[in-house]
Amino acid sequence: MTFKDEQGIHTDFKEKMTYGDYLDLDSILNAQHRLSGHHDEMLFIIIHQVSELWLKLTIHEIQAATDAIGNENFDSAFKMLSRVSSIQNQIIKAWDVLATMTPAEYLEFRDHLGQASGFQSYQYRMVEFALGYKTPHVLKIYEKDAELHQQLKEAYEAPGLYDVSIEALAKAGFDIDSDVLNRDLTKTYEANESVENAWTQVYQNVDDYWDLYELAEKLVDLEDWMQQWRFRHMKTVERIIGHKKGTGGSSGVGYLKKVLDHYFFPELWNVRTRL
């Protein structure tokens, strides 16, 4: 079968919206502005742009899942969190593509980046904030743009995915410490015994707390993928620049190794030892 056999295919788009129009492809495909003449800078730009698009969808899904859990609409939240895990898998695969670039190739255009760095990704910070990892010093990076700074400040002060999950435990009748339920949301979440006790009971009584059990497993999936992403990021950076400082001034591999030790949902990992 050939194209001419498909009589129903639309070909006249003088007055109609095309695929490219709908996706605004002119803007997207013309947003790659190399600052050097080096071939591999195109790879570097596109990998990071694609990752930012996936991060945008991740934020969209996590925020919706957070609202759904707060309203006890668990089925919708599970769908969204499963999608986030699939997105994370895609972002991890992107590091494999970037790793095809050698140190010598990266050095050909690295100086053109100035102080620009993935460390400054505001969408990645919004994901961290949504997962309860609050780092106030990073907000200073975005003071250049008042509107963006305000958006990040609101995300920084808002309850995250784990906050509403802990509230769901309390609504189900578990005895959660009041200082957890009323904690300062601008602080990075730290493990609490009452929360760990609640999750332990959920895992020991799966049939009685199926929704909470499923929620716990979705959160573990998300954190597992997040840590795999962090590890692949660290190893890709080490492979390309070794232990040099990042362009944004961070310690590079040293910083990336340090954040690997952080847990977003610590009790859900501790409970595995207790069971």
Side-chain angles (χ1 to χ4, degrees):
M1 183 176 288
T2 63
F3 179 81
K4 66 179 182 180
D5 296 320
E6 292 290 333
Q7 299 299 318
I9 291 178
H10 297 287
T11 57
D12 182 3
F13 286 94
K14 292 178 181 177
E15 305 294 333
K16 297 174 183 176
M17 179 177 67
T18 66
Y19 170 82
D21 294 334
Y22 176 66
L23 295 178
D24 198 12
L25 287 182
D26 282 347
S27 296
I28 294 172
L29 298 180
N30 287 289
Q32 294 74 46
H33 307 295
R34 287 186 291 170
L35 300 180
S36 74
H38 196 271
H39 174 83
D40 281 7
E41 190 180 357
M42 183 66 78
L43 162 67
F44 189 81
I45 293 171
I46 288 177
I47 285 292
H48 287 86
Q49 287 181 337
V50 169
S51 294
E52 289 293 334
L53 285 172
W54 281 127
L55 286 173
K56 182 172 184 175
L57 184 56
T58 295
I59 294 164
H60 177 72
E61 298 294 343
I62 290 178
Q63 288 178 342
T66 300
D67 291 340
I69 294 167
N71 292 319
E72 299 182 70
N73 184 2
F74 292 104
D75 287 342
S76 293
F78 298 157
K79 169 77 172 180
M80 296 162 188
L81 294 178
S82 292
R83 183 174 291 161
V84 170
S85 291
S86 294
I87 293 167
Q88 290 173 301
N89 185 31
Q90 292 296 314
I91 297 179
I92 290 169
K93 293 296 184 184
W95 293 121
D96 296 339
V97 183
L98 187 59
T100 64
M101 184 171 61
T102 69
E105 289 163 343
Y106 181 51
L107 286 174
E108 290 290 331
F109 63 87
R110 187 178 193 243
D111 287 346
H112 290 272
L113 303 180
Q115 280 74 55
S117 165
F119 187 82
Q120 298 147 15
S121 169
Y122 71 86
Q123 290 197 123
Y124 181 73
R125 297 304 170 193
M126 288 187 72
V127 171
E128 286 190 328
F129 292 169
L131 299 181
Y133 186 51
K134 306 293 181 72
T135 47
H137 58 279
V138 303
L139 289 174
K140 290 186 65 65
I141 296 171
Y142 311 101
E143 290 178 348
K144 173 182 177 181
D145 184 330
E147 185 176 343
L148 175 57
H149 185 265
Q150 180 60 32
Q151 181 183 350
L152 280 157
K153 187 171 181 292
E154 289 173 4
Y156 177 75
E157 295 171 349
L161 182 62
Y162 201 44
D163 294 309
V164 295
S165 298
I166 292 171
E167 287 175 5
L169 289 170
K171 289 177 183 177
F174 290 103
D175 185 16
I176 305 297
D177 290 345
S178 60
D179 58 346
V180 175
L181 296 173
N182 301 300
R183 74 183 191 89
D184 181 354
L185 297 176
T186 66
K187 306 293 185 183
T188 294
Y189 180 80
E190 296 181 359
N192 175 270
E193 186 176 359
S194 70
V195 175
E196 187 171 321
N197 289 338
W199 284 126
T200 300
Q201 292 180 61
V202 167
Y203 274 86
Q204 290 173 334
N205 300 277
V206 172
D207 291 339
D208 294 332
Y209 302 109
W210 177 259
D211 282 341
L212 291 171
Y213 169 70
E214 185 71 8
L215 173 59
E217 285 298 290
K218 295 298 183 190
L219 294 176
V220 170
D221 286 344
L222 194 155
E223 176 151 4
D224 193 342
W225 283 113
M226 191 72 174
Q227 290 298 72
Q228 291 185 54
W229 183 90
R230 282 173 159 178
F231 179 78
R232 287 297 294 128
H233 184 190
M234 182 269 293
K235 293 307 291 184
T236 303
V237 170
E238 185 176 21
R239 175 174 177 151
I240 296 175
I241 70 167
H243 289 264
K244 293 187 184 75
K245 275 193 172 186
T247 50
S250 75
S251 59
V253 169
Y255 170 80
L256 297 174
K257 282 185 175 180
K258 186 164 50 179
V259 297
L260 278 171
D261 292 330
H262 175 260
Y263 285 89
F264 295 103
F265 318 128
E267 296 91 350
L268 291 175
W269 297 93
N270 294 343
V271 74
R272 280 148 168 77
T273 305
R274 290 185 60 175
L275 290 174

